[in-house]
């Protein structure tokens, strides 16, 4: 059954919840709320990846995430660390994280492959074409589904060549990362093409801009992120139906309800 990964952003500037849980105690309480709502995994991140975002230093990223990872892991949560830096991943694992979620799939830090190989923890390999500052310039595809599958396959091969085990790897098409709305819709429509690569798939559409554009003309501003949860529940349900391993969401309660609907229908068929 699909796992629900709840987002715990410890950032001043994430696009949907920046600043809300920036103090460690507030972030820990938010994580605990997501667990109460039914999250299976908490994804703690200290770097905003919204388009155009500036990167924090390694020290600042560590300062943000470590107390939160430690606090939530100590309370018994399964914690994932959302980072592109091997040093942050290493210290987060020492603090209790048991999964590494790297939106660059190991490309942003050439020490990440070694960390994956040595730690043995599950590693999310997301489709990524470059840092957020200018990633939307790279949203050029011949066939987005084939191109994403091919590029992810290349990453898997590189990671395995560097000593990672295939069984550690989870694939993510990277919704919103170097993708235009039509690319995101095509990927959502063809999650089965990603599944045939034979590895678990994680889907993160939560509150992303392409959902804010639904029902809006090209000259209208997108709906604000906090008004995108209903659309996120719909996309997550489609991903659940496609049999993905996990969905990464801000609104855990709504997603868990959607999962319950899916289960009830399955049991009734
Ligand atoms: N999206 C964001 C951050 N981390 N990780 C994975 N694996 N997949 C995603 O789609 C993803 C991610 C950006 O969203 P946020 O700023 O709301 O966390």
């Amino acid at each position: 059954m699909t796992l629900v990964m709840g987002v715990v952003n410890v950032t001043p500037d994430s696009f949907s919840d920046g600043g809300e849980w920036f103090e460690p105690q507030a972030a820990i309480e938010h994580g605990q709320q997501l667990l109460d709502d039914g999250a299976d995994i908490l994804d703690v991140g200290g770097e905003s990846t919204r388009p155009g975002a500036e990167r924090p230093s390694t020290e600042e990223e560590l300062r943000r995430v470590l107390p939160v990872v430690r606090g939530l892991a100590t309370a018994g949560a399964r914690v994932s660390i959302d980072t592109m830096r091997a040093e942050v991943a290493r210290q987060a694992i020492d603090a209790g994280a048991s999964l590494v979620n790297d939106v660059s799939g190991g490309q942003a830090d050439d020490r990440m492959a070694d960390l994956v190989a040595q730690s043995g923890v599950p590693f999310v390999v997301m489709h990524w074409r470059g840092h957020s500052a200018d990633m939307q310039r790279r949203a050029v595809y011949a066939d987005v589904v084939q191109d994403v599958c091919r590029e992810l396959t290349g990453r898997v091969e590189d990671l395995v060549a560097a000593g990672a085990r295939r069984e550690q790897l989870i694939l993510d098409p990277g919704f919103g990362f170097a993708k235009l709305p039509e690319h995101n819709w095509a990927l959502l429509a063809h999650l089965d093409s990603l599944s045939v690569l034979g590895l678990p798939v994680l889907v993160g559409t939560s509150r992303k801009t392409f959902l804010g554009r639904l029902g809006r003309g090209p000259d209208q501003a997108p709906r604000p992120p906090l008004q995108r949860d209903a659309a996120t529940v719909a996309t997550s349900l489609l991903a659940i139906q496609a049999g993905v391993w996990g969905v990464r969401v801000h609104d855990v309660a709504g997603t868990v309800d959607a999962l319950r609907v899916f289960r009830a229908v399955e049991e009734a068929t």
Side-chain angles (χ1 to χ4, degrees):
M1 189 46 74
T2 302
L3 301 176
V4 178
M5 178 186 266
V7 178
V8 181
N9 280 328
V10 197
T11 57
D13 58 348
S14 273
F15 77 96
S16 74
D17 54 358
E20 266 198 85
W21 334 105
F22 193 44
E23 291 304 318
Q25 195 49 37
I28 291 170
E29 282 167 21
H30 179 57
Q32 273 158 347
Q33 177 63 52
L34 298 182
L35 289 176
D36 290 347
D37 291 344
D40 300 292
I41 305 172
L42 297 176
D43 190 38
V44 178
E47 172 173 355
S48 166
T49 48
R50 77 181 153 75
E54 295 272 325
R55 302 197 70 190
S57 66
T58 304
E59 294 65 36
E60 171 61 14
E61 193 182 342
L62 285 165
R63 194 193 64 71
R64 293 178 186 178
V65 297
L66 285 184
V68 181
V69 169
R70 194 171 292 114
L72 291 170
T74 308
R78 183 173 176 196
V79 176
S80 139
I81 176 71
D82 185 346
T83 187
M84 290 185 261
R85 290 181 164 129
E87 181 59 20
V88 175
R90 189 182 65 71
Q91 294 201 33
I93 291 169
D94 287 346
S98 55
L99 191 151
V100 174
N101 173 26
D102 179 351
V103 297
S104 82
Q107 295 183 82
D109 183 341
D110 51 21
R111 290 161 304 174
M112 189 61 98
D114 262 358
L115 185 279
V116 176
Q118 280 163 21
S119 69
V121 300
F123 182 68
V124 177
V125 185
M126 201 191 80
H127 178 259
W128 186 84
R129 285 185 162 183
H131 286 288
S132 301
D134 61 351
M135 67 181 171
Q136 289 309 89
R137 274 199 304 115
R138 300 175 215 263
V140 181
Y141 299 89
D143 176 319
V144 67
V145 176
Q146 281 180 24
D147 293 355
V148 166
C149 287
R150 192 186 55 253
E151 288 168 34
L152 280 176
T153 303
R155 286 307 306 145
V156 169
E157 284 165 6
D158 289 351
L159 288 161
V160 169
R165 285 177 298 109
R166 240 184 105 78
E167 297 74 26
Q168 275 177 270
L169 307 179
I170 296 160
L171 302 180
D172 183 330
F175 287 92
F177 287 81
K179 314 279 182 328
L180 301 176
E182 61 264 35
H183 300 138
N184 294 310
W185 293 118
L187 287 164
L188 191 62
H190 294 285
L191 286 173
D192 51 332
S193 302
L194 206 57
S195 301
V196 297
L197 301 180
L199 292 173
V201 173
L202 176 65
V203 162
T205 56
S206 193
R207 296 182 180 169
K208 291 196 173 162
T209 307
F210 76 112
L211 301 181
R213 292 227 151 270
L214 282 169
R216 304 265 161 144
D219 47 349
Q220 284 177 294
R223 234 188 251 222
L226 290 172
Q227 291 172 28
R228 300 175 192 165
D229 281 339
T232 303
V233 169
T235 51
S236 296
L237 181 57
L238 292 169
I240 291 164
Q241 267 178 324
V244 301
W245 169 83
V247 286
R248 178 184 181 279
V249 294
H250 301 84
D251 172 24
V252 169
T255 308
V256 167
D257 263 354
L259 249 177
R260 290 188 182 129
V261 167
F262 177 76
R263 271 192 211 132
V265 170
E266 268 211 321
E267 280 164 21
T269 42

